[in-house]
Amino acid sequence: MARKAQRGDGVVAENRKARYHYAIENTIEAGMVLLGSEVKSLRNGQANIADSYAEAKDGQINLINAYFPAYAEANRFGHEERRPRRLLLHLREIAKLAQAVNREGMTLIPLKVYFNERGIAKMLLGIAKGKKAADKRETEKKRDWDREKSRLLRARG
């Protein structure tokens, strides 16, 4: 079976819009409780976390609305594609994240899904605060200026 080419760092899915829509305050690495067919689907390089988020509820953190497509060879032992998936964190980390979400108005946003060097599926979770339209424009201006500045420095020699 031919494998789908992945990036060299093991990243399967990345939420590129997250840094545009949210100001990321902090990041944390979390494990995921996955079924075998979900891991096979991830190893094929198929996942979408663009519209997903995490919520703190009943002393645990769940990933909501992440899309891991069905693995074709799993037939009846497959998985539900958009089911809530439990994230594995220490109790102290869960309490800290739940407090940030409840008290400070933060949101838990998945930034990327990847395989670590041991081959275990992990998720980079960002603690974020939503940006207003003016903040988004400011980010865009800064990005454009940085691009133009590097272009000018390159041309200068």
Side-chain angles (χ1 to χ4, degrees), residues 50-106:
D51 298 329
S52 61
Y53 62 96
E55 70 176 2
K57 190 179 196 182
D58 299 330
Q60 60 186 12
I61 308 273
N62 290 319
L63 179 65
I64 308 296
N65 205 27
Y67 179 73
F68 295 179
Y71 184 63
E73 284 78 23
N75 36 2
R76 70 172 188 223
F77 300 109
H79 62 275
E80 191 178 322
E81 295 171 342
R82 290 199 183 268
R83 73 177 182 91
R85 292 165 181 89
R86 187 168 167 218
L87 298 179
L88 302 173
L89 295 161
H90 292 282
L91 289 174
R92 196 174 311 120
E93 292 172 333
I94 292 172
K96 187 171 86 172
L97 293 176
Q99 177 187 4
V101 169
N102 292 336
R103 188 173 299 157
E104 300 167 21
M106 303 289 230

Side-chain angles (χ1 to χ4, degrees), residues 76-144:
R76 70 172 188 223
F77 300 109
H79 62 275
E80 191 178 322
E81 295 171 342
R82 290 199 183 268
R83 73 177 182 91
R85 292 165 181 89
R86 187 168 167 218
L87 298 179
L88 302 173
L89 295 161
H90 292 282
L91 289 174
R92 196 174 311 120
E93 292 172 333
I94 292 172
K96 187 171 86 172
L97 293 176
Q99 177 187 4
V101 169
N102 292 336
R103 188 173 299 157
E104 300 167 21
M106 303 289 230
T107 307
L108 300 175
I109 302 294
L111 299 175
K112 63 179 158 180
V113 175
Y114 58 94
F115 287 101
N116 67 3
E117 55 278 345
R118 291 176 46 203
I120 298 172
K122 298 285 186 176
M123 172 172 286
L124 188 65
L125 198 62
I127 305 166
K129 186 168 271 204
K131 286 184 182 178
K132 305 269 192 263
D135 297 333
K136 291 179 187 180
R137 285 193 297 272
E138 188 65 35
T139 302
E140 206 166 314
K141 274 192 226 174
K142 184 180 182 314
R143 186 180 62 226
D144 290 345

